[in-house]
Amino acid sequence: MDEAWGLTRMTKVEVVVGGEDVPVVTELFSEVGARGYTAISNVSGLGHSGYHQGRLLFNDRSVLTILTVVLPAERATALLDGLRSLLANRSGVLLVSDTWVSRPEYFQ
Amino acid sequence: MSNPDLPAARARLLAQVEEAARVIAPLWPLATFVAVNPLWDLRHLSFDDAIANAARVLDIDGYPSEILFAQAYADRRITDADLRAALGELSAITADSPRRLRGGDCEQENPENTAGARDGTCKESCSSGKVMTPTERHDYVFDSALAASVDREVAKWCGAYLASILPERGTGGFYAAWRSMVVRDPSARGLVGKAGRDRLGGYGSQPEDAILTCLDLLDITEEERVAQIARQFARMPGWAGHAKWRSRWASAASNGPALHMLDYLAVRYCYEAELLRAARTCKSKRYRLRGLALASRSGLRDKRPERGKLLPGRKEWFDVVDVPDDLREDLSSLSSTEAARATLSAYETNYRDQLLAALNRPAAGPPARSEACLQAQAVFCIDARSEGLRRHLERAGPYETFGFAGFFALPIRYRAFGSTDLIDLCPVLIRPNSELDEMPSAGAELAASRQLAGAQGLSAASGALRAARKGAVSPFILAEATGFFAGPIAAAKTLAPARFEAVRRWILRMLAPPAPTVIAVDLGDKAMSDEEQALFSEAALVAMGLTRNFAPVVLLCGHGSTTENNPYGSSLDCGACGGNTGGTSARAAAAIFNRPIVRRLLADRGICIPESTFFVAGEHDTTTDRVTIFDPHLLPPAHRDAIRELEVALRYAGNALAAERVSHLSGARHTDPVAQVVARSADWAQVQPEWGLARNAAFIVAPRDVTAGVNLSGRCFLHSYDADLDPSGTALEMILTAPMIVAHWISAQYYFSSVDPEVFSSGDKTVHNIVAGIGVIQGAGGDLKVGLPLQSLFDAGLCYHEPMRLLTIVQAPQPLLDAVIARNQILRELFDGRWVHLVARDHGCDAWKVRDPHGAWTNWTPAWSKAKEPITCG
């Protein structure tokens, strides 16, 4: 996949964190100038700290949320610095991959 | 942006601030006081490790005092058998997992070191690990008071900002507002000089940049940052807690000036840097010599007496009471902290054993009644204060009671008639997605317009009075103009509070006569859909075990409190309703349960509520023990007699509960208990209108059969639950991950406020001053007070509350319970980390089992039976 498709290369960062940590993660996105992100709450799964229930009826803060943001690589570096520092002492998953977007101006 | 590393540095700083803020708890505004575990964000550690970690930064005592333990032993609230059981458990855990037990405590690799631990050597070593801010280190060496100056200035600006005295600078927030004003502050000039004052405003336009600059100036390395920032927060956990609430818990749409953590920290660090710079400009020989000492010493000077020092001669509690020699020897071999852990465990074991024994005894409960003659069912909040009312109501007639979280499974945002404010009526763990409005009933439009006109007139008068009080000259005129009225009013309020309150309410009713209203549960863009209403109704009914045999009347009873001149009034209201009164949630839930469409949808789901059943809403005033039935205009004629009889029974139950409660209140007299509680409720000088949730101890998830007839002394949160209706464990999961968390927060708030009132309680109510409507300070300035006031915890200097960790008791099949715990990290943290104790049994005929921190279950054996001692009854 390259410029022949008319796409622009970006970095995609996906973070899975507890509901309580969503505000600081989105604040980090803003800090590095991200102009948008996607959040999917109530995700379930198994990690090194055990199984995580997908949805709790009356507790939004103890369930997992996956947040996805797409950035130019140079800004992703700053974000990764912050996220690695954040996740050094708390549960979470950080996934980084290359991605291609058709409208890069939305992600600058 | 000239520095290419700056974005990464800012991002790391944000993460470091978040990590540092773990040691402080969010502080909700007074109007919606929410009890919270002060160490909630350290729950990934065990209870003991969290205390040890927090002690390094907050300088706290995390266990009950020696005096409390000595008193408890003297009262046989702790017995020798309890101590032996606790010491046995301690040694088992030590052998199994020494690091977990010791975390942060004085390490003792062999028994020879234990003498050193007790004579204080080890405490000094431990205390040397405490963190100090740069100004604290300066104060330590030079006997200066720079850290206090930082606190004083920052508190002053925080108060001014939240009271809207500082001009808002667009969206700049607190730091921007402070930066623009501090350069004209005479107090700053007095502290750091004119040049220093100018520099205060020149640390950068962004708070992150100011903090980074100051951290560099103060030589704080990247590795030291989290601990250093945590200590900055810990200097004033009230203001920092408010900032944490605003940054991490408050809705983005919250009104008023927003104090965020980064802004707060930036202002603190600017003062830190400038005050130290000003102090260091005086480079005398003395300074340099002592600076060398500074470099070689670390650790925070102990500000307060250590636990042992509370007793004469630094003795431990077991040195001043008559403990058998073998126990004294065992306790003496432990460090102070380990001895406190063991004694706390004994204290908790004693209560657990008594409670389980009481539940095992055949109860002298209400007579068994056939379902056919059941006149009404009443659903109360799980709040421990409902327990007494339920017990007495069940004795008063053919009534069955249930316990459920007081928001009745309706996470709603509510707007009262005539108001523009929206209130979240649900636990703070969730964000409501639907909005409900209160509206005039059909045909009551004229009455509603009269009420609205009256309310607007009263509001305008009240606003004018408030404005006149705050003006520069008007207070003098106001005093002259109204003094003749204010004096007699004050005298009447003081001498006859109940009568004055009755007159005041009568006048208000005359000026703004209340119109009949309804809560519009099926109107508006943001109202719940019919399907959602049915879903939440089903969740509530299944979770409380009420899915069949409905009585003709079902009362949904929230709770609230009526007190005068009490900034902490909302702390007596319903935690499940976000610190608001619960009557509105009950009204909304009753309206939903009475909707035919909801009943049809429920019937599709297998829950058939007969047409002859009517849901009615009420509210228990926990200060007066009066229950108000709402919306009389909605009562069907066929149910009016039954509801009238229910009201009589509720009045009987309330009177009986008032008589039970009043004897525990300070200054109670041998006169009519009902009149006494009513008078306390209306008395503007009363600092203890009720005990609230003091002495709360356990959370019981079981059918009412398990607890019916047992006098639990208002100490237990009671959640009805029938495992037979919940084969998947969904309802149990809901109960443990929401109501139990709220109960744990309440329990932990009372615990820490009691064990270290200097840090975790809000102190003496009589010297409280309200700041900006969001919190209180003691006297004229300083930190916002956190936690509960002393009058909610102590009686005549002794701790009335019994500080213990929450005991959760569940009647449900063990595999189901294990599965729920296994799939929820929050439950694993609480139970494995010993924040909450768990006891369970499969069915009513089974033996109780105790879960250990590793998830293993052992049959409950009371400590007294192990030691062959007689049973103690408290």
Side-chain angles (χ1 to χ4, degrees):
Chain A
M1 194 172 299
D2 54 27
E3 283 72 18
W5 291 72
L7 301 174
T8 305
R9 188 171 181 147
M10 293 270 171
T11 301
K12 180 166 76 172
V13 179
E14 292 163 292
V15 198
V16 185
V17 288
E20 285 182 317
D21 295 329
V22 169
V24 68
V25 173
T26 55
E27 206 172 317
L28 275 169
F29 291 171
S30 302
E31 186 70 59
V32 298
R35 296 171 64 180
Y37 62 88
T38 303
I40 304 169
S41 55
N42 302 320
V43 298
S44 61
L46 181 68
H48 78 277
S49 56
Y51 187 76
H52 294 269
Q53 177 64 313
R55 180 166 190 249
L56 297 173
L57 196 53
F58 298 125
N59 189 337
D60 296 339
R61 299 187 71 95
S62 299
V63 288
L64 297 182
T65 296
I66 182 163
L67 297 123
T68 306
V69 66
V70 173
L71 294 160
E74 63 274 14
R75 279 203 223 145
T77 311
L79 177 63
L80 293 177
D81 245 17
L83 286 172
R84 292 179 71 167
S85 183
L86 182 75
L87 296 178
N89 296 298
R90 59 189 73 210
S91 301
V93 176
L94 175 61
L95 304 169
V96 185
S97 54
D98 288 336
T99 194
W100 284 262
V101 299
S102 60
R103 292 181 289 187
E105 65 274 17
Y106 285 11
F107 302 92
Q108 296 296 337
Chain B
M1 200 175 292
S2 57
N3 181 356
D5 294 333
L6 194 56
R10 284 175 176 169
R12 281 199 307 279
L13 176 69
L14 199 58
Q16 287 154 352
V17 170
E18 188 71 12
E19 187 63 22
R22 280 184 190 267
V23 294
I24 50 158
L27 179 65
W28 270 261
L30 279 177
T32 52
F33 182 95
V34 172
V36 64
N37 175 359
L39 305 185
W40 177 244
D41 285 334
L42 295 175
R43 69 184 183 282
H44 59 292
L45 305 172
S46 72
F47 175 77
D48 295 320
D49 288 355
I51 287 175
N53 274 271
R56 289 183 60 232
V57 178
L58 287 166
D59 193 21
I60 56 165
D61 284 332
Y63 300 95
S65 70
E66 305 292 343
I67 291 172
L68 186 143
F69 283 149
Q71 186 68 45
Y73 187 81
D75 295 342
R76 293 193 58 72
R77 181 59 184 74
I78 299 173
T79 66
D80 295 340
D82 300 326
L83 283 169
R84 288 198 173 90
L87 286 165
E89 188 187 337
L90 185 80
S91 62
I93 296 173
T94 309
D96 194 34
S97 176
R99 291 198 62 77
R100 184 179 190 90
L101 175 74
R102 289 179 188 144
D105 190 15
C106 311
E107 294 286 342
Q108 295 160 37
E109 293 304 325
N110 63 65
E112 290 172 16
N113 290 345
T114 55
R118 283 209 61 213
D119 67 17
T121 319
C122 188
K123 275 179 181 165
E124 279 184 28
S125 164
C126 287
S127 62
S128 70
K130 289 177 181 170
V131 182
M132 300 169 84
T133 65
T135 49
E136 282 176 333
R137 288 166 68 84
H138 186 278
D139 294 346
Y140 182 51
V141 176
F142 297 102
D143 284 332
S144 54
L146 300 186
S149 299
V150 174
D151 292 346
R152 188 180 61 246
E153 291 302 305
V154 174
K156 176 184 79 180
W157 287 106
C158 286
Y161 180 69
L162 291 173
S164 299
I165 296 169
L166 287 189
E168 279 272 7
R169 300 281 165 182
T171 55
F174 173 57
Y175 174 71
W178 167 81
R179 193 164 163 258
S180 68
M181 295 297 289
V182 71
V183 290
R184 292 193 283 276
D185 180 21
S187 156
R189 182 176 181 171
L191 279 172
V192 294
K194 188 170 183 306
R197 186 177 70 173
D198 292 341
R199 276 195 300 273
L200 273 174
Y203 278 96
S205 59
Q206 296 301 312
E208 301 95 314
D209 300 345
I211 297 168
L212 288 169
T213 305
C214 291
L215 288 170
D216 282 345
L217 283 173
L218 295 166
D219 291 330
I220 294 171
T221 64
E222 190 102 12
E223 291 70 34
E224 293 170 332
R225 279 187 190 172
V226 170
Q228 279 293 320
I229 293 170
R231 181 64 197 153
Q232 289 290 346
F233 284 140
R235 285 287 308 179
M236 292 201 291
W239 288 114
H242 176 80
K244 185 173 180 177
W245 166 78
R246 191 70 197 217
S247 303
R248 296 289 171 258
W249 287 82
S251 157
S254 298
N255 295 325
L259 176 66
H260 287 291
M261 285 197 291
L262 280 177
D263 289 314
Y264 172 79
L265 199 60
V267 174
R268 276 203 76 93
Y269 266 121
C270 289
Y271 277 112
E272 283 271 334
E274 273 314 310
L275 279 166
L276 278 175
R277 188 202 297 260
R280 284 172 182 162
T281 49
C282 172
K283 291 185 177 174
S284 66
K285 185 179 176 187
R286 174 175 165 270
Y287 183 95
R288 284 198 299 275
L289 287 175
R290 301 211 52 182
L292 292 174
L294 172 66
S296 64
R297 296 164 75 172
S298 63
L300 179 62
R301 179 174 39 183
D302 289 324
K303 294 182 297 186
R304 303 184 298 156
E306 289 172 41
R307 188 194 329 281
K309 288 180 185 172
L310 292 171
L311 291 171
R314 294 172 55 104
K315 289 179 177 170
E316 302 286 355
W317 72 266
F318 44 85
D319 292 326
V320 296
V321 288
D322 194 16
V323 177
D325 290 343
D326 62 317
L327 279 174
R328 178 174 290 114
E329 200 173 305
D330 286 348
L331 289 163
S332 301
S333 69
L334 303 172
S335 70
S336 287
T337 307
E338 281 178 329
R341 288 175 191 171
T343 314
L344 172 64
S345 183
Y347 192 56
E348 293 167 336
T349 300
N350 184 286
Y351 177 77
R352 181 199 68 191
D353 289 352
Q354 288 183 54
L355 178 59
L356 293 181
L359 298 183
N360 278 351
R361 277 194 288 269
R369 296 185 181 94
S370 74
E371 283 147 4
C373 74
L374 206 57
Q375 195 159 322
Q377 288 156 325
V379 184
F380 290 90
C381 181
I382 59 170
D383 189 280
R385 290 166 292 180
S386 302
E387 182 269 325
L389 195 67
R390 291 177 62 183
R391 179 162 31 89
H392 291 296
L393 178 64
E394 286 164 351
R395 285 192 184 136
Y399 302 112
E400 186 180 22
T401 71
F402 296 81
F404 189 78
F407 73 119
F408 299 106
L410 287 182
I412 52 171
R413 189 162 285 162
Y414 167 75
R415 184 169 19 235
F417 174 59
S419 169
T420 53
D421 294 336
L422 282 163
I423 307 167
D424 288 357
L425 294 176
C426 55
V428 294
L429 298 167
I430 38 176
R431 280 271 158 76
N433 290 322
S434 54
E435 289 180 14
L436 299 184
D437 286 294
E438 185 182 31
M439 304 178 80
S441 294
E445 289 77 10
L446 189 62
S449 65
R450 282 179 59 200
Q451 180 190 343
L452 209 52
Q456 282 169 344
L458 286 169
S459 174
S462 163
L465 196 63
R466 229 182 0 256
R469 279 180 183 159
K470 287 185 177 173
V473 181
S474 52
F476 300 102
I477 302 165
L478 187 71
E480 290 293 330
T482 62
F484 290 109
F485 301 105
I489 287 173
K493 282 173 82 170
T494 307
L495 298 173
R499 191 161 299 175
F500 176 85
E501 181 60 18
V503 171
R504 191 179 71 91
R505 285 187 184 185
W506 179 81
I507 293 171
L508 290 177
R509 272 200 306 275
M510 290 298 105
L511 294 174
T517 58
V518 292
I519 296 182
V521 294
D522 52 352
L523 293 175
D525 299 338
K526 294 186 180 173
M528 283 183 196
S529 66
D530 296 341
E531 280 292 337
E532 282 176 315
Q533 291 183 15
L535 171 76
F536 285 121
S537 302
E538 181 193 17
L541 293 172
V542 170
M544 73 175 88
L546 176 59
T547 56
R548 56 196 163 83
N549 302 322
F550 288 90
V553 171
V554 179
L555 168 68
L556 302 180
C557 193
H559 68 93
S561 66
T562 308
T563 57
E564 276 294 309
N565 189 25
N566 182 12
Y568 281 86
S570 69
S571 73
L572 301 173
D573 291 336
C574 181
C577 296
N580 298 286
T581 57
T584 304
S585 295
R587 290 178 70 200
I592 286 172
F593 277 118
N594 286 330
R595 292 188 70 209
I597 179 69
V598 172
R599 291 196 182 186
R600 273 202 299 279
L601 291 169
L602 282 172
D604 293 343
R605 295 158 189 258
I607 300 174
C608 297
I609 302 175
E611 276 185 32
S612 57
T613 293
F614 183 76
F615 282 71
V616 61
E619 185 174 278
H620 172 203
D621 186 328
T622 54
T623 314
T624 61
D625 285 322
R626 286 280 163 271
V627 176
T628 305
I629 300 290
F630 292 119
D631 302 328
H633 54 287
L634 299 179
L635 303 183
H639 293 84
R640 285 185 184 157
D641 286 345
I643 291 172
R644 208 169 291 127
E645 285 177 38
L646 176 62
E647 284 186 282
V648 172
L650 286 165
R651 180 161 284 262
Y652 160 84
N655 290 350
L657 179 57
E660 207 172 275
R661 282 196 310 115
V662 80
S663 60
H664 296 284
L665 295 169
S666 302
R669 301 181 302 276
H670 297 291
T671 55
D672 180 6
V674 176
Q676 281 190 66
V677 293
V678 170
R680 290 180 92 96
S681 159
D683 188 352
W684 69 336
Q686 179 55 258
V687 289
Q688 191 196 65
E690 60 163 292
W691 271 118
L693 285 156
R695 290 198 169 179
N696 74 82
F699 179 75
I700 302 178
V701 185
R704 177 62 173 153
D705 298 352
V706 174
T707 51
V710 182
N711 183 351
L712 298 168
S713 305
R715 303 190 64 180
C716 299
F717 301 90
L718 299 182
H719 201 302
S720 298
Y721 174 69
D722 184 349
D724 291 341
L725 301 175
D726 182 36
S728 66
T730 308
L732 182 61
E733 184 169 59
M734 185 275 282
I735 294 168
L736 295 182
T737 55
M740 192 197 77
I741 304 294
V742 173
H744 161 66
W745 280 11
I746 293 168
S747 161
Q749 173 100 81
Y750 272 88
Y751 175 90
F752 285 107
S753 289
S754 302
V755 301
D756 198 337
E758 196 178 323
V759 176
F760 292 124
S761 97
S762 60
D764 190 343
K765 263 184 173 179
T766 57
V767 290
H768 281 174
N769 281 313
I770 299 174
V771 180
I774 53 113
V776 299
I777 54 173
Q778 280 198 315
D783 192 16
L784 276 187
K785 303 306 289 182
V786 300
L788 295 155
L790 292 178
Q791 284 85 355
S792 296
L793 305 161
F794 291 84
D795 188 16
L798 293 176
C799 198
Y800 176 80
H801 177 65
E802 292 191 350
M804 294 185 288
R805 286 165 284 187
L806 185 71
L807 168 64
T808 292
I809 297 175
V810 180
Q811 183 166 302
Q814 190 185 309
L816 193 74
L817 186 52
D818 280 337
V820 168
I821 296 170
R823 63 183 184 235
N824 285 284
Q825 185 178 359
I826 185 118
L827 299 180
R828 296 195 297 271
E829 287 171 345
L830 292 179
F831 295 134
D832 295 352
R834 295 168 67 86
W835 291 93
V836 177
H837 299 298
L838 180 60
V839 172
R841 68 181 179 192
D842 286 14
H843 302 99
C845 53
D846 295 320
W848 294 109
K849 289 183 177 177
V850 180
R851 185 184 186 277
D852 74 13
H854 308 292
W857 295 90
T858 51
N859 277 336
W860 168 64
T861 312
W864 66 70
S865 73
K866 292 178 194 163
K868 307 288 183 205
E869 282 197 356
I871 298 173
T872 56
C873 294

